[in-house]
Amino acid sequence: MSLTELHGKLIPQIEASLQAKINAFDFSNASQLKRMVTYQMGWTTDGAHDGGGKRIRPFLTLLCAGACEGQIEVAMPAAIAIEFLHNFTLIHEDIQDKSPLRHGKPALWKKWGIAQAINAGDALFAIAQITILDLAKAANEHISNLAARELNQVCLHLTQGQYLDIAFESLDNVDVKTYFDMIEGKTAALIGFSAFMGGLAIGQPAEVTDSLCAYGKYLGMAFQIQDDYLGIWGDPLITGKSAASDLLTRKKTLPVLYGLEQCPEFKQRWQQTHMTTAHVQEMAKMLEICGAKDFVMSKAQEYTKGAFET
């Protein structure tokens, strides 16, 4: 079966499992909280998928379980727990970054306020914790306990990556190496965990799960680097976001950090307090001329190659 065929088969199963799990909880005394959770997950009031995430992480978990010749349904609790956890992080990240949009819709905090958004994020964190323990029935109690411990370990890793990302905003000098440390925690850790859980859920030994984790981390690094590239040179009609946004918001992405290190003209423009769309176009061209565009693409290719050589 091709990857496209697997995607067409597994994504509806993931979606149905996510909705079934949410519906299993009693929100009778807080129905609006359930509305916030379902809104974040990308569902309309009638349960249709309405612009939520692509479910990349749970899909990867199930793919890795299948690649290890395990029963995919055994790994489903892990897959959906990871998606709940991911959405918890997105809610808090949108608040911390003051991002008004998520998947082309108002972010949860813009729609219901910061306090209620934090609470909804906490609800998804709790749901993720409860859901991962369903592996006790799907697999066995030992795997369930190990998975719960590893889930919390990756949560700590995520907060470290987010700490660095937030700290970058107030630091004048951030080098490229520190950037890689940041995305390893902020993005790659959870994608690595997603692949790892595909093996753990079906009882694979440590050498297999470790290899899966490394594979996922390489993919996660490539994914974030490519996202940084699209944040400046992407087609808005394809990406769904303005190619000017990363520069206008002074986000210290990989091409920006490269430019600050390698291009004095770019650094001088970056330090100006007032920036317009015209400035952004000029700066994107500066980055391209100084080699940032090629450097970023080469790094994305390097990590992609690393994933397939793991």
Side-chain angles (χ1 to χ4, degrees), residues 281-299:
Q281 293 170 350
E282 179 187 0
M283 291 168 72
K285 190 64 178 177
M286 286 179 183
L287 288 174
E288 187 173 352
I289 291 171
C290 79
K293 188 175 185 179
D294 290 339
F295 173 77
V296 172
M297 283 304 298
S298 69
K299 282 296 179 182

Side-chain angles (χ1 to χ4, degrees), residues 41-112:
M41 297 301 297
W43 304 323
T44 60
T45 52
D46 61 1
H49 196 261
D50 180 36
K54 298 178 178 65
R55 314 308 192 208
I56 293 170
R57 291 155 189 81
F59 182 55
L60 179 60
T61 298
L62 298 186
L63 282 181
C64 288
C68 294
E69 299 184 350
Q71 293 183 314
I72 286 177
E73 60 271 19
V74 173
M76 186 63 81
I80 65 172
I82 289 166
E83 186 64 15
F84 289 136
L85 181 69
H86 175 55
N87 276 274
F88 148 69
T89 67
L90 294 182
I91 291 173
H92 285 211
E93 181 181 329
D94 285 344
I95 294 168
Q96 292 162 343
D97 293 346
K98 300 181 178 65
S99 298
L101 296 175
R102 171 65 61 181
H103 302 306
K105 302 188 302 182
L108 197 71
W109 72 272
K110 288 294 289 184
K111 195 171 177 67
W112 279 283

Side-chain angles (χ1 to χ4, degrees), residues 21 30 61 63 74 98 105 157 168 184 201 209 224 255 271:
K21 191 62 184 177
T61 298
L63 282 181
V74 173
K98 300 181 178 65
K105 302 188 302 182
H157 206 161
F168 283 5
E184 196 276 328
T209 57
Q224 184 59 59
Q271 291 172 339

Side-chain angles (χ1 to χ4, degrees), residues 20-279:
K21 191 62 184 177
I22 292 296
N23 289 331
F25 290 100
D26 181 9
F27 285 93
S28 58
N29 64 344
S31 59
Q32 192 69 356
L33 175 59
K34 183 178 181 180
R35 174 74 183 105
M36 293 177 199
V37 168
T38 57
Y39 178 86
Q40 174 64 30
M41 297 301 297
W43 304 323
T44 60
T45 52
D46 61 1
H49 196 261
D50 180 36
K54 298 178 178 65
R55 314 308 192 208
I56 293 170
R57 291 155 189 81
F59 182 55
L60 179 60
T61 298
L62 298 186
L63 282 181
C64 288
C68 294
E69 299 184 350
Q71 293 183 314
I72 286 177
E73 60 271 19
V74 173
M76 186 63 81
I80 65 172
I82 289 166
E83 186 64 15
F84 289 136
L85 181 69
H86 175 55
N87 276 274
F88 148 69
T89 67
L90 294 182
I91 291 173
H92 285 211
E93 181 181 329
D94 285 344
I95 294 168
Q96 292 162 343
D97 293 346
K98 300 181 178 65
S99 298
L101 296 175
R102 171 65 61 181
H103 302 306
K105 302 188 302 182
L108 197 71
W109 72 272
K110 288 294 289 184
K111 195 171 177 67
W112 279 283
I114 290 176
Q116 290 291 12
I118 291 172
N119 192 55
D122 293 346
L124 278 171
F125 179 75
I127 289 169
Q129 296 281 346
I130 294 168
T131 302
I132 200 78
L133 294 174
D134 289 343
L135 283 170
K137 291 182 180 179
N140 60 58
E141 193 167 338
H142 172 70
I143 287 175
S144 172
N145 291 338
L146 182 57
R149 186 182 72 186
E150 293 297 325
L151 181 95
N152 280 284
Q153 187 63 48
V154 82
C155 284
L156 181 59
H157 206 161
L158 291 170
T159 62
Q160 292 166 348
Q162 184 67 358
Y163 161 78
L164 289 173
D165 192 29
I166 294 170
F168 283 5
E169 296 176 12
S170 58
L171 294 177
D172 292 330
N173 296 311
V174 178
D175 57 33
V176 170
K177 179 185 179 303
T178 306
Y179 164 88
F180 285 123
D181 290 340
M182 183 273 288
I183 65 168
E184 196 276 328
K186 182 180 170 67
T187 302
L190 189 55
I191 295 179
F193 180 69
S194 301
F196 167 85
M197 280 307 309
L200 180 65
I202 61 169
Q204 289 294 302
E207 58 265 26
V208 174
T209 57
D210 287 348
S211 292
L212 288 171
C213 186
Y215 165 76
K217 284 184 177 180
Y218 273 116
L219 283 184
M221 297 290 284
F223 176 86
Q224 184 59 59
I225 293 167
Q226 179 70 13
D227 192 60
D228 284 0
Y229 175 94
L230 295 174
I232 294 177
W233 295 290
D235 182 347
L237 295 177
I238 297 174
T239 64
K241 67 177 183 178
S242 168
S245 60
D246 281 0
L247 289 172
L248 278 174
T249 58
R250 300 179 183 274
K251 189 174 181 182
K252 293 186 178 78
T253 61
L254 183 57
V256 167
L257 294 176
Y258 182 92
L260 291 173
E261 287 185 358
Q262 303 293 330
C263 180
E265 296 85 0
F266 175 83
K267 185 174 183 179
Q268 183 179 14
R269 176 68 75 184
W270 176 267
Q271 291 172 339
Q272 292 181 352
T273 56
H274 180 65
M275 195 180 299
T276 66
T277 302
H279 289 151

